[in-house]
Amino acid sequence: MTHASAPPQITEPSPSLLRLAGFPYFLIAFIARLPFAMMVVGVLTVVVSARGSLSLGGLTSAAVGLGTACFGPLLGAAADRFGQRVVLVVLALANGAMLLLFTFVVYGEAADGFVLLAAVGIGATAPQVAPLSRSRLVTIIADRMPEARRAKTVSGTMAYESAADETVFVFGPFLVGILASAFAPWAPLVGAAVLTVVFVGAFALHPSGRHVSQDRDADGRAPSAVSELFRPQLLIVVLGILGVGIFFGTMLTSLTSFMADRGAPEQAGLLYGVMGVGSAVLALGVAWLPPSFSMRARWLIFAGILLAGTLLLGFVDSPGTMMLALAIMGIGIGPTLVTQYSFGAARSPRGRSATVMTMLGSGVVVGQSIGAAVAGEIAENVGTSAALLLPMIAAFIAFGAGVANWALSSERRTRSSVTA
């Protein structure tokens, strides 16, 4: 007797994140970041042109960063509480209006104090597209992907998001220069207002905006208590990313001073791009690192490379040697930032992922603002050599936080938290 054999079962592979979110999502989320990248430089450009004061321009740019840093985590908490869609729609309209209002104020007869107040309003209403995109994608991964693929997908997602941020922050100032040169100094802010309303609005209304974490609603559990946001394992990540932000601010400012001493301050951006390109490429490469290369080890090693690159700043004496130091720093900074965001995603309390991501994003902004302000004062009053010491201090903060993170985590706990 013969028995009919059962046909082999074909299991379809689980869909990728690109398929789950859709390609239009990534395109919209990328363009929606541009206005934020244009704001600080656009504000500086229009204030210097309209008011003729470089000092006021610098203060105004810092005011934008201050508004973002103070209100960013609150907006993240609101997104966790009320959902991203309603919060982003309100912010898209409010921020577009604030950009136009600032343009009218700066060209009007209002006192400088009102200009600074309007700048704080721009930062306070800035849509937190980058951290909210991270939160949204991590939620999709946790809810709709098999557990075995989550850790690698989260790592790859953080790598892409960091590379996207760096690309936008290179292209944003470039777009400001084009619009200001082709039309008028106010054009970048008007352009940013249009992009905010259109693309941040599209980002808010994208179907993924309705996606809610299973941890929050499926079993009826409420989000974790606010006190969970102040655990040492999470605060050390905030400290580490603050060090990265300080590095960004001090490095660009001291590099500008370095090139100004050689009569070519306008070339500082070109040299800075050497670090930015390498950082973006290496950030994307983190997704292909083997699982045996643990996250806490990545933080230490890549932050160590960053620290080693900054130590070379004590010996640079030409644009060529500066370029070499920046290239080494680029190897370390991108993967360090990706790893920190990955730790933030892994350690986010239930229902608080948007809050954590905006905390980390605000840490970068605060550090960058503090670093730029301090480095500018030291470069002007003490000298470039003293200013070049500041990136070393910032890199040491990032590395020291990595050492503390090693002590606060274990291999088993780190790996399990990523897939939890």
Side-chain angles (χ1 to χ4, degrees), residues 68-379:
T68 302
C70 291
F71 287 87
L74 298 178
L75 298 178
D80 281 328
R81 175 66 178 83
F82 303 106
Q84 288 194 16
R85 176 165 288 186
V86 62
V87 172
L88 282 169
V89 167
V90 172
L91 288 176
L93 298 175
N95 191 244
M98 285 304 306
L99 286 166
L100 296 179
L101 176 63
F102 178 85
T103 304
F104 285 114
V105 169
V106 77
Y107 278 102
E109 300 296 328
D112 292 348
F114 287 102
V115 175
L116 294 174
L117 185 62
V120 172
I122 291 176
T125 58
Q128 303 290 310
V129 173
L132 292 183
S133 176
R134 286 180 171 91
S135 173
R136 192 181 295 191
L137 292 176
V138 167
T139 300
I140 292 175
I141 292 168
D143 289 0
R144 301 175 63 184
M145 295 195 75
E147 184 175 339
R149 294 184 54 194
R150 290 178 193 169
K152 185 173 182 180
T153 306
V154 167
S155 180
T157 300
M158 294 301 117
Y160 162 75
E161 289 285 317
S162 296
D165 285 345
E166 295 198 33
T167 302
V168 163
F169 274 95
V170 169
F171 185 69
F174 177 71
L175 185 59
V176 168
I178 291 178
L179 291 175
S181 300
F183 297 100
W186 50 261
L189 293 184
V190 174
V194 174
L195 287 174
T196 297
V197 173
V198 174
F199 285 95
V200 174
F203 178 74
L205 298 176
H206 188 272
S208 62
R210 294 196 301 266
H211 195 73
V212 179
S213 172
Q214 195 174 28
D215 285 339
R216 291 186 58 183
D217 283 352
D219 54 8
R221 290 185 297 173
S224 299
V226 174
S227 60
E228 290 294 306
L229 296 172
F230 299 95
R231 291 181 295 116
Q233 290 85 353
L234 187 54
L235 291 180
I236 199 63
V237 181
V238 177
L239 176 62
I241 212 164
L242 177 68
V244 171
I246 295 173
F247 168 78
F248 282 138
T250 55
M251 189 65 248
L252 180 57
T253 305
S254 59
L255 176 61
T256 302
S257 177
F258 178 83
M259 294 306 297
D261 291 345
R262 285 151 182 80
E266 70 281 356
Q267 294 182 13
L270 297 177
L271 288 180
Y272 195 72
V274 172
M275 184 185 74
V277 171
S279 176
V281 171
L282 268 295
L284 288 172
V286 170
W288 285 272
L289 292 175
S292 58
F293 190 5
S294 67
M295 290 207 303
R296 65 174 187 165
R298 295 177 195 178
W299 187 342
L300 270 185
I301 290 176
F302 287 112
I305 294 173
L306 172 64
L307 180 58
T310 60
L311 294 178
L312 294 178
L313 294 175
F315 305 97
V316 296
D317 56 2
S318 67
T321 54
M322 175 62 79
M323 190 178 300
L324 175 62
L326 289 168
I328 295 174
M329 286 182 262
I331 295 173
I333 190 65
T336 299
L337 192 60
V338 170
T339 302
Q340 290 168 338
Y341 271 115
S342 297
F343 267 116
R347 293 173 177 174
S348 295
R350 184 179 66 252
R352 300 289 182 182
S353 62
T355 306
V356 170
M357 290 301 164
T358 48
M359 285 171 61
L360 298 181
S362 296
V364 175
V365 174
V366 170
Q368 194 168 12
S369 300
I370 293 174
V374 174
E377 286 295 320
I378 290 180

